[in-house]
Amino acid sequence: MSDDHTHVQEFFSARAADWDSRFPDDGPAYAAAVTDLGLRPGDRVLDAGCGTGRALPPLRAAVGASGVVLGADLTPAMLEAAVRAGRDRHGRLLLTDVAALPLRSATLDAVFAAGLIAHLPRPERNLRELARVVRPGGTLALFHPIGRAALAARQGRQVTPDDLRAEANLGPLLARSGWSMSSYVDEDGRFLALAGREG
């Protein structure tokens, strides 16, 4: 396992048990972001870096019983927390690296990724892997329940110009990875960038 993976697993393993209780009010923001993803009944969607599975219930509601919902995460403790919360009823959980997904190419309609991009060791290559599993015309949502400035303040730091989530950086990064950014919102109450799968 690479040092990047070890660091991510250690970070989230230490926080998994009380992750949901630390952020109890995020549910409406997740639901709103899933709505903006524009899923339809029967769609196939992946929650990449699903953590405790907070997006799985609204994703299931959006795609209905005929749709497919997958949740992928690298950290066993986060998936265990998802099971304890009963969110495994809403989708199939996969213990896997989103940089090497065990999925055939072009099999999904959409990817939802909450808080993921900051933890990707090779963002361009990793976003390209997400593009690989999504059909042309499919959608990616990069989401966080608070905006960049609010998150930086929470962490006691400043937003810097090299932040991957800055619009000027994210658009070109997505374009190099097989995506075309279609909308960008960075407000105190949420961060949401939507992109379409090119090709």
Side-chain angles (χ1 to χ4, degrees), residues 20 52-54 56-57 60 78-93:
D20 288 350
T52 63
R54 290 181 292 175
L56 297 180
R60 171 56 68 195
M78 293 298 265
L79 294 179
E80 290 162 10
V83 171
R84 283 194 303 274
R87 296 184 184 124
D88 57 322
R89 295 189 310 257
H90 302 282
R92 181 176 171 208
L93 300 177

Side-chain angles (χ1 to χ4, degrees), residues 17-89:
D18 67 345
W19 187 262
D20 288 350
S21 63
R22 291 175 61 203
F23 309 107
D25 302 323
D26 287 349
Y30 272 79
V34 167
T35 296
D36 288 343
L37 188 52
L39 295 168
R40 296 170 304 221
D43 276 355
R44 297 154 300 173
V45 61
L46 169 69
D47 183 359
C50 68
T52 63
R54 290 181 292 175
L56 297 180
L59 289 171
R60 171 56 68 195
V63 303
S66 64
V68 173
V69 177
L70 304 173
D73 204 276
L74 185 64
T75 306
M78 293 298 265
L79 294 179
E80 290 162 10
V83 171
R84 283 194 303 274
R87 296 184 184 124
D88 57 322
R89 295 189 310 257

Side-chain angles (χ1 to χ4, degrees), residues 124-149:
E124 185 174 333
R125 182 187 303 176
N126 303 151
L127 289 168
R128 193 174 298 123
E129 171 66 357
L130 296 180
R132 180 188 69 78
V133 299
V134 174
R135 63 170 175 77
T139 310
L140 169 69
L142 298 175
F143 167 72
H144 200 283
I146 60 174
R148 293 186 311 124

Side-chain angles (χ1 to χ4, degrees), residues 159-172:
V159 175
T160 59
D162 63 345
D163 182 349
L164 283 180
R165 291 164 291 191
E167 187 172 8
N169 299 331
L170 186 59

